[in-house]
Amino acid sequence: MVYDRRGHSQSERPPGHGSRTEDEEDPAALLETLDLSPAHVAGNSFGASTVLGLAARRPELFRSSAAHETPLTGLVAGDPELEPLMRAKREKIGSVRAHLRAGETLAGARQFVEEVALGPGTWDQLPDRLRETFLTNAPTFLDEQADPGWSLIDLTRLSGYTGPVLLTKSTETPPWFATISSPLAQALSQARVRTLEGSGHIPHTTHPTEYVRSLTGFIEAIEAIEAIEAGVRRAGGLSDQHARSAPLRRIALSEPGPRSRSADSRAPGGSAGGSWSNGDSRNDAFQDREPAPEPT
C-alpha cells in the first residue's frame, strides 16, 4: 500500500491546523480498513517520524517498521556541535515559511528544495511534474511547521515497541540525521541500523536499487524467522510467546543483509544502532508518490 498523506497530491486538504498525530492516525485507519495489519511499514523523512510515532502508539499494526532519516530534531536540541548548523537551517526554513505565508509559492518551493531538502541547483534539474508537485503541496509544509510537536517523540513510549526495526541513514546528508538515529536506537534496543553509502535524503528516488535491496533484505530476514518460528510451534516445541522471544530472532536480525554500497552498524549496549517529508509515508517534503518499488 502506498498513499498520499493528508494535504498532499490526491489526498484531501482539511481546513485548520493539523498535527503529526493525525498523520499517524491515517495509515492506521487504512491498514485496519483494508485489513492489511499487521504490516511491514516504511517511511522516509517526515514519513519516518509518522511511522515511529504510530509504532509507539499502535504496535499491534506492525510486523516491522523501517525509518529513513527522520527529522526529529527535538531529540538533539542543544547539541553544541550541531547547533550552529541547525540554527542556519532554522533560518532557511523561516524564510521558506515567510515566502509561503506571503503567497510566494514558487520562491518558497524553490528555496525549500535548494536550501533545505536537496541542495543548490536541484530545482531546475527536477522534472516538470515533480516541480509541479512541490508547488501543489507547499502549503501543507507551512501547516506542518505550525505543529509544536512535529520534531518530537516520546522515547519512553517508543521503547515499548518490541517489533523488528530498521533505521537507515545516508552519507550525503546533514550530520544531524546520523545523530538523531542514536537516541532512537538506544530506545529501540532491537533496532538494526544501516548506512546507505553515497545516497542522500531521498534514496528511494536517487538510489532506489540500494534502498529497496536494504529494505527487502530486512523484511525477508523477518519472514524467514517467522516461518521457522511457525514450524517450531507446529511441532509443539515452543509456545507462540516463547517462539517470538527466542534468541534466533535477535541473532538473525542482527546479521548483515544483502550489501550494495551499504554498511551495517550497531549502537552501544548491544543494540543495532534521521527530514522533511510528505505526500506518502516515503517521500520528501512537498513531493507525492514516486515510482520506485517499495514493499509495505
Side-chain angles (χ1 to χ4, degrees):
M1 178 186 77
V2 178
Y3 71 103
D4 292 332
R5 287 200 297 112
R6 61 173 58 210
H8 293 84
S9 300
Q10 297 182 56
S11 289
E12 296 179 353
R13 291 168 167 75
H17 290 302
S19 68
R20 199 184 72 222
T21 300
E22 292 176 330
D23 283 287
E24 295 166 8
E25 292 171 349
D26 290 338
L30 284 170
L31 289 171
E32 292 180 309
T33 301
L34 298 175
D35 195 24
L36 294 175
S37 64
H40 299 292
V41 185
N44 166 257
S45 196
F46 194 96
S49 302
T50 302
V51 168
L52 295 176
L54 181 59
R57 296 170 55 227
R58 297 290 307 278
E60 74 278 5
L61 298 177
F62 289 74
R63 287 177 71 185
S64 73
S65 60
H68 181 76
E69 293 197 336
T70 170
L72 294 170
T73 52
L75 298 181
V76 295
D79 186 301
E81 294 184 4
L82 295 178
E83 182 55 33
L85 294 173
M86 295 179 67
R87 186 185 309 115
K89 184 68 70 175
R90 287 194 296 268
E91 291 174 356
K92 293 175 181 177
I93 291 172
S95 179
V96 170
R97 295 176 64 186
H99 282 305
L100 297 179
R101 283 195 295 265
E104 300 166 351
T105 306
L106 175 57
R110 177 188 285 272
Q111 184 176 16
F112 174 85
V113 168
E114 299 202 340
E115 298 183 19
V116 176
L118 303 183
T122 52
W123 177 261
D124 291 330
Q125 298 174 18
L126 295 175
D128 291 343
R129 180 190 62 82
L130 193 51
R131 285 200 296 267
E132 185 59 34
T133 299
F134 272 103
L135 292 171
T136 300
N137 295 338
T140 299
F141 175 75
L142 187 60
D143 182 63
E144 289 172 350
Q145 292 294 298
D147 175 14
W150 74 267
S151 68
L152 301 170
I153 194 167
D154 185 340
L155 291 177
T156 300
R157 191 172 189 180
L158 182 62
S159 67
Y161 173 74
T162 58
V165 183
L166 175 65
L167 301 175
T168 54
K169 52 188 177 180
S170 296
T171 57
E172 307 306 311
T173 50
W176 54 76
F177 290 123
T179 306
I180 288 170
S181 70
S182 294
L184 292 174
Q186 291 171 6
L188 297 164
S189 62
Q190 76 279 26
R192 176 179 181 179
V193 172
R194 169 164 287 185
T195 299
L196 303 178
E197 299 289 342
S199 70
H201 189 54
I202 50 174
H204 55 279
T205 299
T206 60
H207 293 72
T209 299
E210 291 85 350
Y211 175 72
V212 170
R213 182 176 290 121
S214 175
L215 187 58
T216 55
F218 173 69
I219 291 172
E220 288 166 0
I222 294 167
E223 294 181 342
I225 296 166
E226 291 175 344
I228 295 171
E229 292 170 345
V232 172
R233 286 193 296 271
R234 286 194 299 270
L238 287 173
S239 68
D240 181 73
Q241 179 179 358
H242 287 136
R244 292 184 61 83
S245 63
L248 172 65
R249 175 172 286 260
R250 181 177 295 275
I251 293 169
L253 289 177
S254 68
E255 287 297 315
R259 291 181 180 271
S260 177
R261 300 202 308 170
S262 63
D264 293 291
S265 61
R266 292 185 61 79
S271 62
S275 53
W276 304 95
S277 83
N278 78 326
D280 59 67
S281 61
R282 296 173 304 139
N283 303 336
D284 204 12
F286 304 151
Q287 300 181 44
D288 68 347
R289 292 170 294 178
E290 292 293 333
E294 182 174 326
T296 299

